[in-house]
Amino acid sequence: MNLELEVFRSLFVSIAEEMGIVLRRTAFSPNIKERRDYSCALYDARGRTVAMGDHMPAHLGAMPASVKAVTDEAQPGPGDIYFLNDPFRGGTHLPDITSVSAVHLDGAREPSFYLATRAHHADVGGMMPGSMPLAKEIYQEGLRIPPVRLVRDGEYDPALLSIILANVRTPDERLGDLGAQVAAHRVGERRLREAVARHGASRIVRQMAVLQDYAEAVMRSRLSRIPDCECDFSDWMDDDGFGSAPIRVHCRLSVHGSSARVDFRESAPQSRGGVNANRAVTTSAVMYCFRCLVDEEIPYNAGMLRPIEILTRPGSICDALLPASTAAGNVETSQRIVDAVMGALRQALPGQLPAGSSGTMNNVSFGGIDPDDGQPFSYYETIAGGMGAGPRTDGLSGIHTHMTNSLNTPVEAIERQYPVRVRNYKLRAGSGGDGRRRGGEGVVREYEFLADATLAILSERRKRGPTGAEGGGAGRPGRNLLNGDEIPSKGNLDVERGDLLRIETPGGGGYFSSMNLPTNSASMPEAKKLRTADRGSLTSGSPNRLNDVL
């Protein structure tokens, strides 16, 4: 990348990053300000991604669908901000509320750029506090918002705002978090206008296009160094929470020259439970996987996906249709899609990719009435696990991997704001997979409830642990316990004051070099190599530190 291009890449990324900083610092909920469960991005006049902040992979690759949903239905004017969360009209799952605005340069009738933010709100209504229940249809999961103009000419639409706030358990917190997203847009637009004033609109637009072309060229170069191949790999969700058999996520990877095809059409049909991912989530997971193959600071934009064709089957676990419930699709099935794609890539590049990481976000949400002030409360968080080992290093322990780039909420923040006490918080010794390079350890987190509450858990990897690589052992599966009794990976529960919830998250898979030990294919759920030519080389890098493992 030449110097001029790097200057503009840094400029555009800095706008998205500053939007994220404003969103985090002005948000009300710990889920955004402490866990950093949000993302921000910049788009060109056609809604194509130009730059993203180093935020949540689960959000970033899916957000262009939200921009498209808005522009398909309306044309944002100056001072307008559209909001949506509908998974079937550009969203991912209902708690992720996306905001989209257009930037009109002086004298221009059409938008020159778009800005978007996505933030996971701790409650958007529905049958359970936290809006992450085990549900059979999306109508049970919360308030479904199509693209609506919530901010008009810089002011909230009072009627629309009142509808949203009337359908959530914590309206003051929701208003604060919505306001944080609005503030992020204002800062992003200000920085864009400053950039245009300094460099000129035509130069800014030209550099955006050049960066997208550059990202495509880098990705094509990387793909050309993967041997031509066709590889199949299947991994499995534990169940859908309603007693189903394991649910197959199947990836058929084809690499030919400088292009690739990723085919999920043989994956299971959409399920009763909330493990259904829409196509935007699947696209986001694929984008993340291929980004991990590139070691340089490639612009994380629309150009990356031009060489990659993604095939899904509508009505499947990877491309769900209304009225499927989707709460876990974004957070759990996205992880399994990554595992399936990485499993196929490991066949194409043997001995070069890390073993499976924890493969779950371990979602915990609860709420009720705080006995101290009589006010409703609602809380949500994900819990870290173990990272898979690589050929040269052990896996990292107690870390969020792959599609989550968030943090665990600090104990002090939970205990200060909610009627709960964290009794135990430590690494889960012995949970990482065996191998010459050991998988990272998972986490133990125990909550003592200081008030009666309603609890929802959406977790995975409770029946089979993350896969090892090149003969390495699988990571230890996770466990959920209530008052010492094991409970399912997914479910809705009523808890009483004094109850103790213990979450034990999976460790990462172990790793052995194929030059030292034979590959133990039994450690993989299903792997079938169809055809691979001579072996290539791999360098890696990722916004989630996979390069630390390889």
Side-chain angles (χ1 to χ4, degrees), residues 63-303:
M63 284 168 65
S66 295
V67 178
K68 185 177 186 303
V70 169
T71 57
D72 281 350
E73 297 194 19
Q75 183 56 73
D80 294 345
I81 305 178
Y82 280 72
F83 283 75
L84 71 152
N85 70 350
D86 187 348
F88 306 107
R89 297 168 81 176
T92 48
H93 62 177
L94 297 184
D96 283 344
I97 297 181
T98 305
S99 55
V100 178
S101 68
V103 178
H104 294 73
L105 297 182
D106 293 340
R109 296 181 59 184
E110 301 294 327
S112 299
F113 317 104
Y114 292 94
L115 299 167
T117 78
R118 176 166 289 171
H120 186 120
H121 286 247
D123 188 87
V124 290
M127 64 188 289
M128 298 283 289
S131 308
M132 291 286 287
L134 176 60
K136 292 184 178 180
E137 57 181 4
I138 195 168
Y139 309 111
Q140 298 172 309
E141 293 181 327
L143 180 65
R144 196 163 135 239
I145 308 170
V148 295
R149 183 165 51 180
L150 185 59
V151 175
R152 184 194 302 262
D153 296 328
E155 301 292 336
Y156 284 115
D157 182 314
L160 287 174
L161 183 62
S162 66
I163 291 173
I164 293 173
L165 299 183
N167 283 278
V168 301
R169 294 172 177 84
T170 49
D172 290 343
E173 186 176 89
R174 297 289 64 72
L175 181 59
D177 288 348
L178 290 171
Q181 291 181 263
V182 172
H185 278 271
R186 289 174 176 164
V187 168
E189 179 169 349
R190 187 183 311 140
R191 294 294 177 258
L192 258 176
R193 291 188 181 281
E194 290 171 355
V196 169
R198 181 174 182 179
H199 299 287
S202 60
R203 190 179 184 193
I204 291 288
V205 170
R206 183 174 64 254
Q207 290 299 326
M208 287 180 172
V210 171
L211 278 166
Q212 291 166 341
D213 292 342
Y214 178 77
E216 177 185 2
V218 172
M219 183 55 68
R220 289 194 181 277
S221 174
R222 182 65 193 93
L223 291 172
S224 69
R225 290 185 284 120
I226 299 175
D228 284 0
C229 64
E230 293 182 6
C231 302
D232 271 1
F233 192 92
S234 289
D235 211 329
W236 307 84
M237 307 292 290
D238 287 345
D239 52 49
D240 69 355
F242 291 102
S244 71
I247 299 170
R248 185 189 193 206
V249 176
H250 178 78
C251 172
R252 172 167 289 185
L253 170 69
S254 303
V255 179
H256 297 284
S258 62
S259 62
R261 172 183 288 176
V262 190
D263 188 348
F264 298 99
R265 289 177 294 179
E266 294 181 36
S267 297
Q270 67 187 54
S271 71
R272 292 173 298 172
V275 295
N276 301 296
N278 63 13
R279 182 177 167 85
V281 168
T282 299
T283 300
S284 191
V286 172
M287 187 176 188
Y288 163 79
C289 290
F290 282 87
R291 167 64 182 88
C292 290
L293 299 181
V294 182
D295 59 351
E296 63 181 277
E297 286 295 325
I298 181 174
Y300 207 1
N301 64 37

Side-chain angles (χ1 to χ4, degrees), residues 331-347:
V331 290
E332 296 300 296
T333 309
S334 67
Q335 297 284 65
R336 199 65 66 251
I337 293 169
V338 168
D339 290 339
V341 175
M342 289 292 192
L345 285 169
R346 277 200 296 269
Q347 296 173 51

Side-chain angles (χ1 to χ4, degrees), residues 509-524:
Y511 195 100
F512 273 121
S513 169
S514 60
M515 294 183 292
N516 296 323
L517 288 175
T519 299
N520 175 14
S521 60
S523 66
M524 298 183 181

Side-chain angles (χ1 to χ4, degrees), residues 18-30:
E18 187 172 357
M19 290 174 66
I21 292 170
V22 171
L23 176 51
R24 172 169 56 87
R25 289 183 174 177
T26 57
F28 279 31
S29 67

Side-chain angles (χ1 to χ4, degrees), residues 279-411:
R279 182 177 167 85
V281 168
T282 299
T283 300
S284 191
V286 172
M287 187 176 188
Y288 163 79
C289 290
F290 282 87
R291 167 64 182 88
C292 290
L293 299 181
V294 182
D295 59 351
E296 63 181 277
E297 286 295 325
I298 181 174
Y300 207 1
N301 64 37
M304 283 180 51
L305 278 179
R306 290 175 185 168
I308 303 167
E309 181 183 14
I310 302 171
L311 300 177
T312 59
R313 187 180 83 256
S316 71
I317 196 75
C318 298
D319 189 355
L321 302 176
L322 189 72
S325 52
T326 61
N330 183 51
V331 290
E332 296 300 296
T333 309
S334 67
Q335 297 284 65
R336 199 65 66 251
I337 293 169
V338 168
D339 290 339
V341 175
M342 289 292 192
L345 285 169
R346 277 200 296 269
Q347 296 173 51
L349 297 162
Q352 299 174 55
L353 269 75
S357 293
S358 59
T360 174
M361 297 192 198
N362 306 289
N363 304 268
V364 174
S365 56
F366 53 82
I369 302 298
D370 191 328
D372 290 339
D373 58 16
Q375 295 298 309
F377 69 92
S378 183
Y379 177 72
Y380 167 79
E381 76 167 333
T382 60
I383 307 174
M387 178 183 277
R392 293 189 295 276
T393 62
D394 295 340
L396 299 175
S397 297
I399 187 169
H400 291 260
T401 53
H402 293 325
M403 295 303 285
T404 173
N405 194 29
S406 58
L407 305 174
N408 286 349
T409 309
V411 172

